Amino acid sequence: MSGQIDLLLVTPPSRAVVYQELSKDYAAIEPPVWSLLIAEHIRRLGWSVAVLDAEALGLSYDETARRIAAADARLNAFMIYGQQPSASTQCMPAAVLTAKATARLTDRPCIALGTHPSALPARTLDETTFDYVCQGEGPTTIAQLLEHLSGRRSVESVAGLWWRRDGAPVSNGWAPKIKDLDQALPTQAWDLVDMSLYRAHNWQSFGAPHRRQPYLSIQTSLGCPYACSFCCINAPFGGNGIRYWSPDAIVAQIDHVVARYGVQMIKIPDEMFVLNKRHVLGICDRLIERGYDLNIWAYARIDTIQREFLDKLRAAGFRWLGLGIESASGYVRDGVEKGRFDNAAITSVVRQVQDAGIHVSSNFIFGLPDDTMDSMQETLDFALDLNTEWANFYAAMAYPGSKLHQVATERGWLLPESPGGPGWIGYSQHAFETLPLPTEHLSAMQVLEFRDAAFQAYYSNPAYLALVDKKFGPETGAHIKQMTDITLRRRHHEDPAYYDRLLGAQAVRHPHPAA
């Protein structure tokens, strides 16, 4: 990669810090969906574009910076996204360090895009070396910024841009949302990356580990109509709402990647795929007609799954659905605006999905604002009873861009970015310096300890191991055992006084019940 190009889209390398030892064999290596969508959009406008996925290439910060400098692009765009919407913030440290290293080698301008920069644009400018920040989706802002940098537009007219005037952050206001996704973002520029680098999550290939690659993600919608207080998905979109690509456009992309790359493993990263009947069944019907041998996973909600969806989803190649259950306590769920359904309804829907031949990846959160030790134990017991094929256990975080972050900031709660805290990496669930929220009844470390113990309890549970052996075979059981042999390092284990020091400093400024 050498010689000037117009745009270089960069995925900074954060996986090793974010996932620790799990990054080597267990975590997915995700294709940079937004980079590839924007790349295709920009080059259709006549600009030259390249993509540097330092995450997939396993580069260091300095190696990434050297490649950025060598590319000599008119504009370097740092794409700060994680494997799901809430994971953008945990990628900030890698982006900041890479941008600093880049600034030592080249004076070419850099812009930050992603959920986190959209949620905190002024703060991102204040705290980093980025020249610009995009607040919003990105394609329009990037195209107009390239026009500015080539002398064809004033900086003040670049929609969605934050920049500095006399050192102070200035906002040009939001760019209009893209109305016609099929026209503006018709496909991804897969030819700009090495598709052999990407692999699915370990669980998606249970029973067939040789199918983990090739792998890709295809976005079928943008945004979410719901307003769960712990979620930050709508930060780049300026509010709740959802827009769709057409089923024809989606399946045309799948046709291409199956024919060109032999892809079978596909992720649909939409926050809410199983929602709109016409959209879901339109995609399913087209895939059923083609008869591909696919392994697709997507997200759904307990209250959006309809029985008529399930047989079609299974026939179309959907092998996994991710379900956000969050808590077994209706009181705790109500506190974060998470649906109006009880545990009996949850169990019924999970069994319907499994009876249709689709595996379930269930998601649980410990440490939501109303959680107690008893309610967290209730959630773990419920997870063990459900015994789904995979389960994710999270500690509650007030992610920037969520209502919970706004509340936590206003009330002065201890957050990872609080003075003396670990910084943005503290928002990573698996990082050494993870720092979740305290509740009204529990400290952050009590929540984290419970989360880590729950993970071990679930994946060593005899009923779960029997399920895995029956559905996927002994090789998967051995894989699970190897995974649970990994102990995540946690800072409070190696420095027991660390959290107490944070609490002591925080109590002076903003007393909190958990302190």
Side-chain angles (χ1 to χ4, degrees), residues 53 239 246 339:
D53 190 349
S246 71

Side-chain angles (χ1 to χ4, degrees), residues 177-185 243-245:
K177 291 182 182 179
I178 296 170
K179 294 181 179 180
D180 189 336
L181 298 177
D182 286 8
Q183 181 178 17
L185 301 169
R243 289 160 290 154
Y244 295 98
W245 278 267

Side-chain angles (χ1 to χ4, degrees), residues 32-82:
V33 176
W34 264 106
S35 290
L36 301 182
L37 283 168
I38 290 178
E40 183 66 17
H41 175 82
I42 294 299
R43 70 180 180 182
R44 287 181 181 227
L45 295 176
W47 303 98
S48 57
V49 185
V51 174
L52 175 59
D53 190 349
E55 179 89 304
L57 292 167
L59 303 179
S60 68
Y61 306 138
D62 287 338
E63 289 169 335
T64 306
R66 286 195 291 271
R67 294 204 186 190
I68 292 170
D72 194 30
R74 189 188 303 272
L75 175 64
N76 299 308
F78 282 66
M79 308 300 289
I80 307 172
Y81 290 93

